[in-house]
Amino acid sequence: MRRPLEDITVVAVEQAVAAPFASRQLADLGARVIKIERPGGGDFARRYDQTVHGESSYFVWLNRGKESVELDVKDPADRRVLDAMIARADVFVQNLVPGAAERLGLDAETLRAARPELIHCSISGYGPDGPYRSKKAYDLLLQCETGLVMSTGTPEVPAKAGFSIADIATGMYAYSGILTALYDRARTGVGASLHVAMIDALGEWMSQPAYFSRYGDEPPRRTAAKHPSISPYGPFRTADGTVFLGIQNEREWTALCDVVLKRTDLIEDPRFATNTDRVTHDGELTVLLEQVFAAFGTDEVIELLEQAGIANARLRTPAEFTEHPQLAARDRWRPVDTPGGVMQAMLPPVVGGWEPAMGAVPRLGEHTAALRAEFASVEHVSKESPA
């Protein structure tokens, strides 16, 4: 089956989450992704945990469909192999510690001087300039620096997001930036020097609470699982559990009062007349809703909400999500080989006219011998060929 990027080669000097997330999506679209790993240890995300058939849940998520080669980029012989790979690459991705790419001659200026058509993508915590340019950056630390932690949690205790949101935001912008550069190169023949900083990527996602705080009269409210500026929107107890619902406009508020609560008097109640009023009196409104829901099980409340056209959701665990009936009905899982056995992996979100590659997760150095042979041969030929 033809895939959109099947003629694209990506060389990635990468580790952890942000860069591997970007390059894995390129692999899913058919690109050949060669992952450079440190001899003996490899990407340190391989050792974050051992929960998926003995492999790291992070690593199997981020690295399917790639070829793993162990190279010491400071060793002259290994560096020649890397240089031969880069000489044939369309895309080079790196998220080394600040300053390392420049010291190793793997920066955009150096590599694109020889090959202007190369698309070079660097990922960093804080960008190439400014007082924080050399500062190490990890996901939680960027959540702190961008205000996310102070926008999440309860009024008493701020909290981090439950997943690597800064890394994922950064990886997504790197991915979309690379695709944009490939499209532009197809028209102009010229590559690009891309730089994606985690503080910029997560900062973009934090724009609404940042604007609310800077231009409003108060900082963002930490409201646990409730929405900070829309009401009712969040969790409500039922007779046997919890249901989430969200009201987005006055038409839905009227339907909730009429069909679900059977309290049409609340529609014009001055405490709840507008969304701003409902946010102000959210505590009172929560009591009213839970008094009604206490007579019903979660399934019954969801049925009432569906009848009224009110958006709702069940509170599921991550494990329960993997058994979600909607994903099963839409055939959204595929088997993927890992070094320890077969796992079920979710298809990428974008549905197109092609089946994503969903290749195997590589063992550390699994392709080292083959890649050394392939690119040592390329290097030899290029040296013997006339200018």
Side-chain angles (χ1 to χ4, degrees), residues 315-360:
L315 185 62
R316 300 178 190 267
T317 67
E320 289 170 339
F321 166 71
T322 66
E323 300 175 350
H324 201 293
Q326 183 68 3
L327 298 179
R330 295 172 55 233
D331 191 27
R332 296 295 296 163
W333 299 97
R334 293 292 183 276
V336 169
D337 289 331
T338 78
V342 177
M343 67 174 291
Q344 293 297 313
M346 190 175 175
L347 284 167
V350 176
V351 178
W354 58 84
E355 178 77 4
M358 305 289 284

Side-chain angles (χ1 to χ4, degrees), residues 132-146:
Y132 279 39
R133 64 185 179 276
S134 299
K135 192 176 179 70
K136 282 190 175 181
Y138 300 130
D139 185 89
L140 173 56
L141 309 183
L142 266 297
Q143 291 190 40
C144 293
E145 291 284 354
T146 57

Side-chain angles (χ1 to χ4, degrees), residues 99-171:
E102 289 75 14
R103 291 192 296 272
L104 293 167
L106 295 174
D107 56 290
E109 182 177 2
T110 300
L111 296 184
R112 294 195 61 235
R115 296 191 61 227
E117 71 276 18
L118 180 68
I119 295 167
H120 186 290
C121 182
S122 292
I123 292 173
S124 69
Y126 296 99
D129 306 300
Y132 279 39
R133 64 185 179 276
S134 299
K135 192 176 179 70
K136 282 190 175 181
Y138 300 130
D139 185 89
L140 173 56
L141 309 183
L142 266 297
Q143 291 190 40
C144 293
E145 291 284 354
T146 57
L148 187 149
V149 170
M150 288 298 290
S151 301
T152 310
T154 66
E156 297 76 24
V157 182
K160 65 180 289 294
F163 58 98
S164 303
I165 189 170
D167 286 319
I168 293 170
T170 306

Side-chain angles (χ1 to χ4, degrees), residues 207-226:
S207 290
Q208 182 276 320
Y211 295 161
F212 182 95
S213 180
R214 178 168 180 173
Y215 297 103
D217 296 327
E218 58 179 302
R221 308 178 187 95
R222 292 197 300 271
T223 53
K226 286 194 172 186

